[in-house]
Amino acid sequence: MSFMLQGPVLEGALVRLEPLEHRHAAGLAEAAEADRGTYEFTWVPRADEVGAYIDAQLARATTGRLAPYVQVSTRTGQVVGATSYWEPRCWLTDDRLDAVEVGFTWLAGPAQGTGINAEAKLLLFRHAFEKWGVSRVDLKTDARNERSRAAIQSVGARFEGVLRNWSRSWAPGEDGRLRDSAIFSVTAAEWPQCRGRLEERVARLAARAGG
């Protein structure tokens, strides 16, 4: 496969997605420790693990199979989480991207429910569909993670099913175990309607934040 994932800066009203760099370490460490009460099934580095986390993500990025981002609040300028493009698939030709996953996503507790997640998905989906011309974007989460599943469905992704023993578990105390993964997707045919709904939702949340 000759296609290499490279994510540009993507900016909206609420969030700016910046390609991950070591300069983001302090901000990521602060975000990761802000409120860890919602990370039951999602692995988020502790402050003293952020350096190794960035090294691992950048190493994956050199393979062309991951484009890691930090999420930065446009209101405060603070890093509030991370996300990535992941698992590019070129099914028809080696240099044209047909599908990609959005994953490795987490948000600091105080940033959840603010619209940042919705706008980040809008920015990532829009670039994938309208710049790369993909046929689908997919997302997955631990099948037990009801909060994450609800968040994914809220941005317009359709539930496709559960793949059993699909990937490693990130839940505390489950090292060395596999998890069932709930799979969601947005297809190119669904994107125009999904985009309209996301844009309306983000506009409402941005107006509320501005007020």
Side-chain angles (χ1 to χ4, degrees), residues 144-205:
R144 300 166 294 178
N145 193 339
E146 296 296 337
R147 178 188 291 269
S148 179
R149 291 176 64 158
I152 292 172
Q153 288 184 293
S154 75
V155 299
R158 181 177 297 185
F159 175 61
E160 294 187 330
V162 173
L163 299 178
R164 297 176 298 168
N165 292 340
W166 180 250
S167 59
R168 66 173 292 182
S169 173
W170 297 102
E174 294 188 356
D175 290 348
R177 293 177 57 182
L178 298 175
R179 76 176 194 191
D180 295 346
S181 291
I183 307 298
F184 300 79
S185 71
V186 179
T187 67
E190 296 163 345
W191 168 237
Q193 185 177 37
C194 176
R195 174 177 175 166
R197 290 178 177 175
L198 272 176
E199 287 176 338
E200 290 178 5
R201 180 181 173 194
V202 169
R204 289 195 305 269
L205 292 166

Side-chain angles (χ1 to χ4, degrees), residues 33 59 68 70 91 112 123 126 132 144 152 156 159 169 182 208:
E33 296 293 344
V70 291
W91 290 318
Q112 296 176 22
L123 296 171
R126 186 168 62 197
W132 287 334
R144 300 166 294 178
I152 292 172
F159 175 61
S169 173
R208 186 184 306 168

Side-chain angles (χ1 to χ4, degrees), residues 52-68:
Y53 167 80
I54 293 175
D55 287 341
Q57 293 295 75
L58 294 181
R60 293 185 179 102
T62 64
T63 69
R65 299 185 65 243
L66 179 79

Side-chain angles (χ1 to χ4, degrees), residues 16 18-36 39 43-58 68-72 77-84 104-109:
R16 183 172 63 256
E18 299 179 0
L20 175 66
E21 298 178 8
H22 283 287
R23 66 183 177 86
H24 295 118
L28 276 174
E30 184 176 351
E33 296 293 344
D35 178 357
R36 300 186 64 89
Y39 299 149
W43 185 79
V44 176
R46 303 299 309 222
D48 61 357
E49 298 172 323
V50 164
Y53 167 80
I54 293 175
D55 287 341
Q57 293 295 75
L58 294 181
Y69 283 102
V70 291
Q71 304 191 62
V72 179
Q78 294 180 315
V79 174
V80 293
T83 192
S84 297
F104 286 98
T105 300
W106 59 270
L107 270 180

